[in-house]
Amino acid sequence: MPTKTLRLILGDQLNHKHSWWEDDPSTFEVLMCECRSETDYARHHIQKVTAFFLAMRHFADWLRGEKGITVHYLRLDDADNKQSITANVEVQLRRGSYHAWAYQLPDEYRLDRALAEFAVKANHSHSTADTEHFLAKRYALRDFFKGKKTYLMEAFYRHMRKEYGILMAGSEPVQGKWNFDHQNRKSLPEGERVPRPMGFERNVEGVVAMIEKAGVKTMGSIDASRFIWPVTREEGLALLDHFAEAHLQKFGPYQDAMKRNEWSMWHSRLSFAINAKLLDPLEVIKRVEHAWQEHPDAAPIASVEGFIRQILGWREYMRGVYWAKMPEYAGMNYFGHERKLPEWYWTGDTKMECMKQAVGQSLEHAYAHHIQRLMVTGNFALLAGIHPDEVDAWYLGVYIDAIEWVEITNTRGMSQYADGGIVGTKPYVSSANYIDKMSDYCGSCFYSKSKKTGDKACPFNSLYWHFYERHRDKLEKNPRIGFVYPTLNKMKPDAREELMAQAEKYLGDLDGL
Ligand code: FAD
Ligand code: SF4
């Protein structure tokens, strides 16, 4: 009589603290698999595929070594790998002696559906478990905003602060404020030294060779002799400590600053470790809150609150939006944008210095920080009217931390406003002014930041006004868009026509920029 359960673990379910691992190891076995279904649903960065496979392998070793659990681990090149998660579960269920199987609820809609459909067809009974990772339940945000058109992140964030007692003094926020952002988001002063990113030097040539031999189509580059991303829980914790001790002080003030050839500034680069669930979001939040409690000079409240808001606020919020709005969300295209992504998003080969920097480092490191994603690459895609499907495919592939629940809500929602204002109250777009204020990119650019029209005029300038002009019907009445339409209306007709013609010229040859 079979007595064991087969438990499936997906590549982003590497939660060491899950209650499953406290159960008697003689009562269950674990299945983990590296599959083509996962490497091929998007064209991923080579560092992303490598990081997931390595993290999975280390996790399987931990389950075996620390917990005494039997793990069936299928590598991508194993002969009996069926290359699909459900097919591998089916084979293992037939092969072993199990009375049931179980899985943790996936964070991605595609896998959630696939596993639910498979469960109906499978001959074994099944059960599901929570991943025990997020701080809000899957549908908590939907219920919180029931009946509302816009989901205001700030309201949800305050609710989460109270619920978890983070940065609270009784029922009030510490120091009487929910938000200290007026002290943050500064541009970088001349001479400020940017820290070197901390890395974990690991030789990953074997895994990379396996991925290449299998013919997986990837993008970007990798230095396989010294792979720097954290792929174990210990490494994730070490990176967290390093951030809390060495980066936190300046994280807030320079959170939005950008500098040529500096790819991570004071950002934590914890997103992969958190999204793979090697780190628990609450432990990250508490570590940073503790740093402030112990050493408020080295970890000032503005930085600490700003960082905690990203995880307790934005991250939980984005996941909630995803589950409240999928699957419709993936098809939203509010502006009806149709253009293809320019070729240089895949090569970095453009004359626009800001794009060359942001795209270039994304391809080199599988990473760009938030403002580069939002106000450089995302800003350009929105101004240029790129189809959100194209934009999503790029973001989902290129970043080490990209998993659909957090990628699509940030890209289609926050960055492309393709959801018509569920996530953001207005589109995040800017001309060269903002990029110049927050970076040193414009100084080395082929284009002139101050020119709107004519030879070498910065493309962001004319495209910015063209964007607002072509979407007048959708945006003119938005109260958050203050000066734009009065300024457009006051422009002399000749000047406006010249500006629109300049934008049309650029739109006609995006690949040539
Ligand atoms: P830090 O700046 O150090 O921030 C700390 C943590 O806060 C991050 O690790 C992350 O867990 C969380 N966080 C910060 N901002 C957000 C946000 N807007 N939404 C959710 N969590 C947030 N983040 C992803 O994890 N995966 C993605 O695929 C992704 N795609 C994005 C696409 C676009 C167009 C934009 C504008 C943002 C995207 N983000 C995504 C959010 C954010 O840019 C990244 O989480 C962040 O840059 C990761 O780097 P970090 O760990 O150094 O972050
Ligand atoms: Fe980017 Fe324009 Fe500045 Fe060049 S001038 S870096 S294209 S904003």
Side-chain angles (χ1 to χ4, degrees):
M1 183 67 182
T3 53
K4 284 191 181 182
T5 303
L6 180 67
R7 288 177 169 174
L8 173 69
I9 284 296
L10 304 176
D12 66 343
Q13 295 181 336
L14 313 180
N15 182 357
H16 292 64
K17 294 160 100 181
H18 199 281
S19 58
W20 269 7
W21 316 134
E22 300 313 313
D23 292 347
D24 177 354
S26 69
T27 62
F28 68 94
E29 292 175 357
V30 167
L31 174 67
M32 296 178 72
C33 44
E34 302 169 2
C35 289
R36 289 304 290 261
S37 60
E38 304 314 295
T39 56
D40 295 4
Y41 73 86
R43 188 169 153 200
H44 304 286
H45 199 294
I46 178 68
Q47 294 189 36
K48 179 181 174 188
V49 183
T50 303
F52 272 106
F53 286 178
L54 282 171
M56 288 167 68
R57 290 178 186 189
H58 281 289
F59 188 72
D61 289 346
W62 178 82
L63 287 177
R64 290 183 183 119
E66 290 288 316
K67 296 288 175 179
I69 293 166
T70 303
V71 182
H72 303 280
Y73 192 98
L74 290 163
R75 294 189 176 210
L76 195 72
D77 58 355
D78 280 345
D80 53 354
N81 189 338
K82 299 289 170 214
Q83 304 299 347
S84 125
I85 292 168
T86 49
N88 283 331
V89 175
E90 194 171 14
V91 168
Q92 188 58 34
L93 283 174
R94 267 206 310 268
R95 187 180 286 160
S97 172
Y98 306 105
H99 74 103
W101 71 287
Y103 64 95
Q104 297 182 7
L105 290 174
D107 293 324
E108 203 183 321
Y109 189 83
R110 174 186 64 97
L111 281 172
D112 191 65
R113 290 292 84 217
L115 286 171
E117 280 160 23
F118 171 73
V120 173
K121 287 190 286 176
N123 284 329
H124 287 71
S125 65
H126 82 286
S127 59
T128 59
D130 195 278
T131 54
E132 300 174 8
H133 172 81
F134 290 98
L135 301 172
K137 293 278 176 227
R138 213 186 230 196
Y139 294 107
L141 181 128
R142 181 192 67 186
D143 300 341
F144 184 79
F145 288 112
K146 201 165 182 195
K148 300 261 181 348
K149 180 183 173 284
T150 298
Y151 294 177
L152 213 59
M153 199 292 286
E154 188 65 24
F156 184 69
Y157 168 58
R158 290 182 189 186
H159 161 74
M160 294 296 283
R161 286 266 296 271
K162 288 185 211 153
E163 178 119 335
Y164 281 88
I166 302 293
L167 297 179
M168 295 298 291
S171 58
E172 293 301 314
V174 292
Q175 301 190 9
K177 277 198 282 191
W178 293 103
N179 184 316
F180 296 82
D181 253 5
H182 64 281
Q183 296 172 42
N184 288 338
R185 307 181 182 280
K186 299 186 165 77
S187 51
L188 202 64
E190 195 77 33
E192 178 73 56
R193 236 193 89 247
V194 178
R196 295 282 102 227
M198 174 188 174
F200 306 91
E201 308 218 345
R202 174 183 269 110
N203 188 311
V204 297
E205 283 160 356
V207 184
V208 173
M210 179 198 72
I211 295 167
E212 282 169 357
K213 189 159 171 234
V216 175
K217 281 203 175 63
T218 59
M219 66 159 119
S221 58
I222 188 166
D223 179 351
S225 64
R226 48 178 298 274
F227 187 68
I228 66 162
W229 290 97
V231 293
T232 65
R233 178 164 162 75
E234 289 69 32
E235 289 171 353
L237 287 169
L239 192 60
L240 172 59
D241 280 341
H242 177 72
F243 172 73
E245 286 155 19
H247 287 199
L248 197 45
Q249 187 168 39
K250 297 197 174 161
F251 170 83
Y254 304 132
Q255 198 175 340
D256 291 356
M258 301 173 277
K259 187 169 163 63
R260 286 179 75 235
N261 306 323
E262 295 291 353
W263 62 277
S264 64
M265 309 294 282
W266 284 268
H267 291 271
S268 69
R269 290 188 299 109
L270 285 168
S271 48
F272 172 77
I274 306 177
N275 291 354
K277 303 187 179 57
L278 294 170
L279 294 182
D280 173 37
L282 194 56
E283 79 186 323
V284 176
I285 290 167
K286 293 229 155 148
R287 173 70 182 85
V288 167
E289 185 186 36
H290 183 71
W292 166 69
Q293 286 159 342
E294 293 289 300
H295 304 289
D297 294 339
I301 186 68
S303 278
V304 168
E305 188 282 314
F307 182 81
I308 287 178
R309 180 155 17 101
Q310 305 310 315
I311 298 182
L312 186 60
W314 281 110
R315 187 170 185 272
E316 294 289 328
Y317 167 88
M318 289 304 197
R319 177 188 181 244
V321 170
Y322 183 76
W323 284 105
K325 295 292 175 188
M326 281 297 280
E328 309 80 71
Y329 207 83
M332 288 180 177
N333 185 0
Y334 182 65
F335 293 122
H337 282 165
E338 290 294 338
R339 285 196 180 80
K340 270 178 67 65
L341 208 60
E343 266 307 304
W344 40 258
Y345 268 82
W346 305 92
T347 61
D349 189 10
T350 158
K351 299 192 283 295
M352 291 187 281
E353 186 63 20
C354 54
M355 296 297 287
K356 190 194 285 184
Q357 289 284 326
V359 171
Q361 71 162 69
S362 302
L363 295 170
E364 188 181 349
H365 299 292
Y367 179 90
H369 61 78
H370 189 69
I371 283 301
Q372 295 176 304
R373 298 186 201 196
L374 187 64
M375 296 310 294
V376 182
T377 43
N379 184 8
F380 184 86
L382 180 54
L383 293 179
I386 310 296
H387 196 298
D389 286 356
E390 292 259 316
V391 189
D392 263 332
W394 187 77
Y395 278 95
L396 187 59
V398 77
Y399 293 118
I400 191 130
D401 52 35
I403 306 177
E404 193 189 64
W405 65 268
V406 57
E407 175 281 318
I408 200 169
T409 41
N410 270 292
T411 303
R412 205 169 273 255
M414 183 189 276
S415 155
Q416 300 301 295
Y417 201 77
D419 63 3
I422 296 168
V423 165
T425 50
K426 64 168 187 165
Y428 282 98
V429 285
S430 81
S431 63
N433 275 348
Y434 176 84
I435 294 174
D436 188 42
K437 181 172 150 234
M438 296 313 298
S439 77
D440 62 355
Y441 295 157
C442 299
S444 334
C445 188
F446 166 85
Y447 293 102
S448 163
K449 65 182 182 193
S450 51
K451 284 182 79 175
K452 292 193 184 67
T453 56
D455 194 30
K456 296 191 177 176
C458 167
F460 280 83
N461 292 339
S462 52
L463 290 176
Y464 174 82
W465 293 105
H466 191 273
F467 167 80
Y468 276 115
E469 187 60 76
R470 74 177 185 265
H471 295 306
R472 199 179 260 274
D473 58 329
K474 294 203 163 73
L475 298 174
E476 194 167 17
K477 295 211 168 66
N478 185 328
R480 301 263 345 262
I481 300 170
F483 71 97
V484 171
Y485 286 102
T487 311
L488 254 179
N489 296 342
K490 266 193 266 156
M491 265 183 212
K492 293 211 169 77
D494 284 1
R496 191 155 74 193
E497 263 168 42
E498 205 188 334
L499 200 50
M500 296 306 133
Q502 181 80 35
E504 298 284 349
K505 188 176 134 215
Y506 285 149
L507 288 171
D509 184 21
L510 291 177
D511 281 338
L513 295 175

